[in-house]
Amino acid sequence: PSLRRVVANDVSARALRRCGEKVRAALAARAGGGAPSAELELELLCSSVSELRLAAGCDVLTLVEVVEHLDPPELQRLGAALLGRCSPRALIVTTPNKEYNLNLMVTCSEEARGGAACRGRGGAGLTLDEVRARSRRGQLCKGCCTYTSLLSGAPPPPLAHYPLRNKDHRFEWTRAEFRAWAEGLAAEHGYSVRFDGVGGGAWDEERQPGAPCHGPGPSSQVAIFERPGLREQM
């Protein structure tokens, strides 16, 4: 089956205009430079997620890296708005996996900018005092200091101290927190839910004691809500 209707929703009118331009350009390119196919209807809605109103029974809703930007009252209303009022056949939600952030915390900032990694990164046999001294002298960036400290026996930082990936994020969930939230919504609105991930490790990857610098699990975690009987209808 092919797409017949796509609805894009955002609180930003500017973001919606950019979205519309990109989608229409992509459709024109697929049509070989001619006019976009009239078979696909594109609708742009400017509203908050909790105020979204679609005809009940739409096929699929997607929330890609959205929930972490929502304030608590908006997040609280999300299930009733999407799984309740819109009642899609399926809802796909992605959000960052907080546990994975350790991989970002040990990344060399110099290497990320295209240069060479800091000298002394992961130096064998360094004491924690030597690592801190190198950091004070500017020989190790923050990421390399964290990496080398962990290899030198420092305890891993607590999850509460992991930085957010974006300054607009209100929170970032561990896999257990995301599972609890998603399973609660599914039970409340009569949906099944299963989990997957994008990038990094598997959804069920565990922390390995011998890998102190590795944040387990996928970079982004995915919850797939499905209305009962959906698979039998496919």
Side-chain angles (χ1 to χ4, degrees):
S2 60
L3 288 173
R4 296 296 182 186
R5 181 168 181 258
V6 174
V7 179
N9 181 81
D10 201 288
V11 293
S12 168
R14 179 183 179 187
L16 282 171
R17 284 195 298 271
R18 290 171 58 193
C19 170
E21 291 167 359
K22 289 183 177 181
V23 171
R24 293 186 182 98
L27 292 175
R30 288 186 61 184
S37 172
E39 295 181 358
L40 177 63
E41 177 186 352
L42 173 64
E43 183 178 359
L44 306 178
L45 300 179
C46 189
S47 72
S48 66
V49 176
S50 66
E51 295 172 343
L52 181 63
R53 295 186 179 277
L54 298 172
C58 61
D59 287 331
V60 180
L61 288 179
T62 62
L63 282 182
V64 180
E65 310 296 288
V66 170
V67 294
E68 64 274 9
H69 294 272
L70 302 180
D71 290 322
E74 183 84 349
L75 186 64
Q76 185 70 30
R77 295 190 291 265
L78 192 66
L82 299 187
L83 295 180
R85 184 169 64 241
C86 295
S87 187
R89 296 173 69 190
L91 168 66
I92 301 172
V93 179
T94 79
T95 192
N97 168 26
K98 185 175 184 177
E99 298 158 86
Y100 182 86
N101 288 1
L102 181 60
N103 298 302
L104 309 178
M105 295 163 61
V106 299
T107 297
C108 176
S109 57
E110 296 300 321
E111 196 171 32
R113 287 193 287 263
C118 295
R119 294 180 61 187
R121 173 180 170 87
L126 291 179
T127 67
L128 292 178
D129 285 340
E130 288 171 329
V131 173
R132 297 186 185 105
R134 289 190 179 196
S135 178
R136 287 193 297 269
R137 292 195 296 266
Q139 296 174 324
L140 292 173
C141 68
K142 186 175 181 180
C144 286
C145 182
T146 301
Y147 178 83
T148 307
S149 296
L150 291 172
L151 289 184
S152 299
L159 280 168
H161 292 178
Y162 283 21
L164 299 176
R165 299 186 195 179
N166 186 291
K167 63 182 181 181
D168 188 60
H169 288 184
R170 275 50 170 181
F171 59 86
E172 287 173 6
W173 280 327
T174 65
R175 288 170 290 172
E177 291 169 333
F178 184 50
R179 178 186 288 276
W181 174 80
E183 289 181 342
L185 285 189
E188 182 178 357
H189 296 282
Y191 279 74
S192 64
V193 63
R194 53 192 173 91
F195 300 92
D196 208 333
V198 177
W203 161 261
D204 57 355
E205 181 183 30
E206 297 182 358
R207 184 74 180 266
Q208 299 298 323
C213 301
H214 176 65
S219 175
S220 283
Q221 44 192 338
V222 184
I224 304 167
F225 298 84
E226 294 176 318
R227 194 190 300 161
L230 175 60
R231 290 179 176 271
E232 288 74 7
Q233 299 168 18
M234 297 177 66

